[in-house]
Amino acid sequence: MTHDATHFFQNLLKVNAAWLSGFEQSQITLLSSRFPQQKMLFKDLKLLFSQDPSVQKMGAGRKKTVSFSSMPSEKKVSSSSDCLAFMQGGCELKKVRPNSRVYCRFFTLDPDLSCLRWEPSKKDGDRARLDISCIREVRTGKSTETFLHNGPLSEHLAEEAAFSIIHGDEYQSLDLVALSADVANIWVTGLRFLVAHPSIVGGPGAGLGEMGGYVVEGSPGSRMRSEWLAAEFAQVDADGNGVVTENVAVAAICKLCPGIKEAKVRQRFKEIQCAKEKLTSHVTREEFQEAFCELCTRPDVYFLLVQLSKDRECLDVQDLRLFLESEQGLSLATAEGCLQLLRRYEPSAQGRERGVLGLDGFARYLQSAECHLMDPEHLAVCQDMNLPLSHYYISASYRSYLLDDQVHGRADLGGLTKALQAGCRCLELGVTDGPEGEPLLGVDYALEVVNKYAFLTSPYPLLLYLCQRCSPAQQRVLAQHLKKAFGSRLYGADALTVGPAGGRAPPLPSPEQLKGRILLVGKKLSPEEDGSEGEEELGVVLVVPPPPQPRRLRLCRELSDLVSVARTGSRSFYPPYWTLCSLGEGEAGRLTSETPEELVVFTKRTLSRVRPSSVRLDSSNPNPQGYWKGGVQLVALNQQTPGAMLDLHRGRFSVNGGCGYVLRPGVMREEVSYFSAHTQGCVPGVPPQTLRIKVISAHNLPKPQGAGAKGEVIDPYVVLELHGVPADCAEQRTRTAAQNQDDPLFDETFEFQVNMPELALLRFVVLDDDYIGDDFIGQYSVAFECLQPGYRSVPLLGLAGDPLPHASLFVHVAVTNRRGGGKAQRRGLSVRRVGRRGREYVSLRHTGIKVVDEGFKPASGPLREATDLREDAQSATVSFKEQCGLPPVAKLKQCIESLATRLQSEGYPCLEPLHTLPEPTRKVLTAYDAMIAAQKQLIENADVVQERIAQVQREGMEFHEVLSRLGEKEGLKGRKQSKAVESFTWNITVLKGHCDLLRGAKVDSLDVLRQLALASEACGLTCSTSSSSTTSSSAVASLHHTSHQTAGRRGSSHGNGRI
């Protein structure tokens, strides 16, 4: 290479460092193979790339990274033969040693498929190898002792790219980390196939050339798929000549695979024609099948299918039932239900007749509404609607009749209609004096439209927030119009009487009691007043510039009598309960910051509303989450302005069927409870959760709107936002996918700590990575309570909340209780290292009132005991899962299936080895015994401990009504008195919460035993099974059980798996 050329490439590297930093050596090698004339050029490019530090520095310093898969994107993996071919070609893997050292080695599979080899190595060739016949199992993730004991090192290794090969009689592990998750999936799939088919390993003629036909023809799933595609081709082959036109073939593939781009299909056919040097554009059956398999095969679904079907590439009823139970959380799945599901989604007639689900049917099921992230239970009203109105969040709209900004925005009835159809239950209606004695509404015919659409989406009460500036005469006319428009729907003064000054009104009615009724919210006169003056609310009707002095208006009795809920400002912060306290955005923010506990207490019986600031001339919206966590029931938003704030609003109110009412958290509803909007840790009595989300892939992503200049190329990445209390708020993102990928693979796992699950919202945002500005592609917001576990499809929505056709994310969701209820564990560290000595216990607070503090003292011991029971049972279960080589989120049925030992279906099952076991197997049995002992301890002691805590709580509640008087006797005043009340509510909340936690823990322990019983049934392990039938080279287990029978638990002898 000449000096000038060297100088040219150095400059090229510096200018395009960020672009080239995404390339790996394999990509440059691939380019050199495609352009042989420039082979030396790419060789020098690789050399310069590896030597120039500026490229590495610039690439590492850039926040947004472009990552290219190590697999060529032109060829998708769609069979085991593809995996074995890749393994025979070899690739670089990281070899992790127990001494915390990591070595980069080049791994290959021998041509006869008999062993793995790696190089370079200080060992001789015979030692740097592993015979396939010695492999016991292949595990995914970081589940072996090597990974678990190397915490700091393990944290820097990608979970999705790690896998372990368990081999030998002593169950030794070869721990490896691939360059990417898709490469790890290929190695795991290929190795598991070889373990499951020992007949094709080694021996004469076992190479890929002759074995490839065996894989394709011998796999029931691949054969069934081939026959189905042949039948589909025959339907469009009208002449029966085995050839169709390109247009017909393209239309057939687009029909079989909805969402695929027609241009992509045509491009693939053109590539096939060029490769075969064909002069015609006609398509044969073989070409049709080739194009379909390459374009419509989802590698992520294929790898999952192979794992579930044990390399048969199709699922029978038992496989599907195990998947639904262990992964999807459907513990009551039956064989009949699985067969019906299979027949709904399997496209091939042969598969439906045989009762098996192939690759394409499995993909259809995973993309269906049954596998959506949103729990279908929440698509309809699912919460108790018989509680007072103040116990609910209420969907509210601000100036709904505007279609644009606050100054020049055009008023239109469409805005009101859209807000009501979206489920809003509080509309704002502005009224001023009009000509000819008629009041002027924000838009003509508004009352008629509200009456027409009020209850089409939701039957529950509609609050009409009246902002009027009319003279008394026009107020009387307005009252007549309201009566005429709404008639009997109007909830008037005869149904509600506001309590006298200083007195208490009865509790607010429930949404169920107010079904189909319209409640007016506005200024109201007291019964003894003839007229009154009220101060104008500047934030309601915008005046630019604002008047120097607030105008004062007189109210007339006719309009006042129609008002059901009196509107007050922040000056009367503690009004009678039949009122709605209206706050400006700034003042509400100050209250949530300075007095969060008092605001929560205030909203337990009184409605509160927050409106956007008057300076938001562009109709932008504040973050509603900041006010919801303070207990505010109504956060009015500009429904005409799309964006993240409105996405969170939709996510919040989708919890209860979109009816516009969602129950607030229990700590905000209970009369005596403690909650602060600024909690930085666990909420007393609320079990903290750990949310793990694996973003696997995205599909059919559209181009961003207005991105025509970029052509067809998109660089997508996914952002995950968790919104909630301050301790829960977090944001994480995936890498950026390769160019021109509307179906990118990510395979990245993220973990979130959730201290207040009832307030948490999860938002997925898909963006197009660009140096100028990242363009919006799609989003989806969902409440934490609505998440379904397992493999789920996330349907993407556009900026305005409309569904994007066929666009979705594919994710895996797992939610577990966080151990200890305190700080989150570091990733990669085993939970077995967390003992009682390092455990955090919740403590009761000192109130300063002697008699009260003495009453709380007996609870200290039971509280510690309750924590120990829960934590010991949970830690023992997680330790058993780790010994089985499974993550903490795994189901026990998966553990038992991996062990393949016999279980007793009644009582507490106990495993006893009949001969000497290898050390790893002995550890598994020891962990199993510890788990059963911990569950037994919890089940037998939970009720007693819970009753001791509940007794202290009941005795403490006796002080509630006289707490102020007791404080005065102790000399507590002002701030000290408030602190005593706060400590009292904290203690009551802690006691009640621990009762609930212990009750839930007992249910979980009973569920553990239920899962063990179901696992024994599903695996065919019964008491009558002879020991010889389950004998293996590793272990033989005999069954015993304790004399204690689980109370209230039925046996699992039913064939349908119901308990």
Side-chain angles (χ1 to χ4, degrees), residues 243 246 371 496 950 988:
V243 177
E246 181 181 305
C371 279
L496 169 66
I988 294 296

Side-chain angles (χ1 to χ4, degrees), residues 834-1012:
V834 181
R836 291 192 179 186
R837 182 172 299 179
R839 186 168 291 166
E840 295 181 0
Y841 296 94
V842 67
S843 59
L844 298 179
R845 293 180 177 179
H846 184 70
T847 64
I849 304 174
K850 185 176 180 180
V851 63
V852 176
D853 292 334
E854 289 295 328
F856 283 132
K857 269 187 180 180
S860 300
L863 285 175
R864 292 179 65 90
E865 190 174 349
T867 301
D868 288 336
L869 287 173
R870 290 187 292 105
E871 296 300 320
D872 291 346
Q874 192 172 1
S875 296
T877 303
V878 173
S879 298
F880 172 62
K881 293 176 181 179
E882 287 186 353
Q883 290 293 342
C884 292
L886 295 171
V889 298
K891 300 293 190 299
L892 284 174
K893 191 168 185 179
Q894 295 169 293
C895 299
I896 300 305
E897 187 191 34
S898 68
L899 291 177
T901 55
R902 295 183 299 171
L903 289 174
Q904 177 72 14
S905 62
E906 291 290 343
Y908 301 112
C910 174
L911 299 179
E912 179 180 326
L914 297 182
H915 63 73
T916 304
L917 299 175
E919 182 65 17
T921 307
R922 188 189 64 79
K923 288 183 178 180
V924 174
L925 297 185
T926 301
Y928 178 87
D929 293 338
M931 177 186 67
I932 295 299
Q935 306 295 344
K936 175 183 177 182
Q937 184 77 3
L938 191 152
I939 291 172
E940 296 178 349
N941 294 280
D943 292 340
V944 176
V945 176
Q946 179 187 335
E947 178 56 31
R948 290 165 60 191
I949 297 174
Q951 179 63 29
V952 176
Q953 180 198 351
R954 288 192 294 268
E955 294 176 356
M957 285 298 295
E958 296 177 0
F959 298 110
H960 174 52
E961 297 294 336
V962 297
L963 192 63
S964 298
R965 189 169 70 249
L966 293 174
E968 292 175 358
K969 288 183 178 180
E970 296 285 346
L972 303 180
K973 297 180 181 180
R975 179 60 183 165
K976 290 184 178 180
Q977 178 82 324
S978 300
K979 193 67 177 177
V981 174
E982 179 182 312
S983 298
F984 176 82
T985 57
W986 166 276
N987 293 345
I988 294 296
T989 304
V990 167
L991 294 174
K992 182 181 182 304
H994 268 68
C995 286
D996 296 339
L997 290 176
L998 195 56
R999 188 183 303 111
K1002 180 180 178 181
V1003 173
D1004 291 341
S1005 292
L1006 291 172
D1007 186 62
V1008 166
L1009 300 183
R1010 182 185 65 84
Q1011 288 190 45
L1012 295 176

Side-chain angles (χ1 to χ4, degrees), residues 199-256:
S199 60
I200 68 171
V201 176
L208 184 62
E210 298 189 15
M211 185 275 306
Y214 173 84
V215 175
V216 176
E217 299 300 330
S219 168
S222 60
R223 184 171 60 251
M224 183 176 69
R225 189 187 201 196
S226 178
E227 294 175 0
W228 167 63
L229 288 175
E232 292 292 337
F233 183 85
Q235 289 185 4
V236 298
D237 183 11
D239 299 332
N241 297 326
V243 177
V244 298
T245 64
E246 181 181 305
N247 290 336
V248 171
V250 169
I253 289 182
C254 291
K255 179 182 177 182
L256 296 176

Side-chain angles (χ1 to χ4, degrees), residues 320-605:
L320 185 57
R321 181 179 175 184
L322 178 62
F323 171 71
L324 296 179
E325 290 177 345
S326 61
E327 287 289 356
Q328 305 299 88
L330 302 177
S331 57
L332 300 182
T334 64
E336 294 80 5
C338 292
L339 189 60
Q340 293 176 5
L341 183 148
L342 185 151
R343 289 170 177 167
R344 279 200 305 272
Y345 295 104
E346 174 54 41
S348 69
Q350 181 184 4
R352 293 192 296 269
E353 292 174 2
R354 293 172 48 199
V356 293
L357 190 66
L359 176 58
D360 300 284
F362 190 47
R364 291 184 179 187
Y365 166 67
L366 292 176
Q367 289 177 308
S368 68
E370 293 187 47
C371 279
H372 277 184
L373 182 65
M374 179 81 172
D375 189 340
E377 179 185 350
H378 294 273
L379 297 178
V381 176
C382 58
Q383 295 181 340
D384 185 2
M385 303 302 290
N386 293 293
L387 301 177
L389 282 179
S390 57
H391 288 0
Y392 298 85
Y393 292 121
I394 303 175
S395 176
S397 174
Y398 180 69
R399 305 194 77 188
S400 312
Y401 46 84
L402 290 182
L403 297 183
D404 206 340
D405 62 65
Q406 300 293 306
V407 179
H408 303 100
R410 180 172 59 90
D412 190 87
L413 291 174
L416 288 173
T417 304
K418 184 177 180 182
L420 290 170
Q421 290 176 337
C424 285
R425 295 290 85 195
C426 180
L427 297 181
E428 187 175 298
L429 189 62
V431 189
T432 57
D433 280 341
E436 299 179 0
E438 284 289 332
L440 184 64
L441 298 166
V443 61
D444 294 335
Y445 307 106
L447 297 182
E448 290 78 3
V449 169
V450 170
N451 187 57
K452 178 180 179 181
Y453 292 94
F455 303 105
L456 293 183
T457 300
S458 171
Y460 295 105
L462 174 69
L463 278 67
L464 197 59
Y465 193 89
L466 196 61
C467 305
Q468 61 88 18
R469 300 181 182 183
C470 299
S471 62
Q474 295 207 13
Q475 288 180 36
R476 295 184 182 93
V477 177
L478 176 61
Q480 295 174 4
H481 289 332
L482 291 170
K483 291 180 181 178
K484 180 180 178 182
F486 301 136
S488 60
R489 287 181 170 181
L490 201 59
Y491 197 75
D494 56 337
L496 169 66
T497 302
V498 179
R504 283 194 174 187
L508 286 163
S510 68
E512 187 67 30
Q513 292 173 322
L514 296 173
K515 263 187 174 180
R517 305 302 292 271
I518 296 176
L519 281 68
L520 285 185
V521 181
K523 293 291 184 179
K524 188 172 180 65
L525 299 175
S526 61
E528 56 274 356
E529 282 183 305
D530 225 6
S532 179
E533 293 185 354
E535 190 172 296
E536 179 190 24
E537 198 172 331
L538 291 179
V540 173
V541 181
L542 184 66
V543 180
V544 182
Q549 295 293 331
R551 293 165 49 192
R552 305 184 70 82
L553 303 174
R554 291 186 59 83
L555 299 177
C556 75
R557 174 63 61 183
E558 289 86 343
L559 182 61
S560 174
D561 288 345
L562 296 181
V563 173
S564 302
V565 181
R567 186 185 78 226
T568 65
S570 58
R571 286 187 175 84
S572 20
F573 190 58
Y574 289 93
Y577 297 135
W578 280 104
T579 57
L580 183 146
C581 182
S582 181
L583 302 170
E585 177 185 338
E587 189 167 11
R590 179 179 58 80
L591 291 174
T592 57
S593 300
E594 298 177 1
T595 57
E597 296 88 354
E598 288 83 351
L599 183 59
V600 171
V601 173
F602 171 72
T603 58
K604 288 181 180 180
R605 294 182 65 100

Side-chain angles (χ1 to χ4, degrees), residues 164-183:
S164 301
I165 304 173
I166 310 302
H167 60 92
D169 293 336
E170 297 298 323
Y171 288 81
Q172 298 171 335
S173 66
L174 175 61
D175 301 292
L176 305 170
V177 180
L179 296 178
S180 62
D182 52 351
V183 173

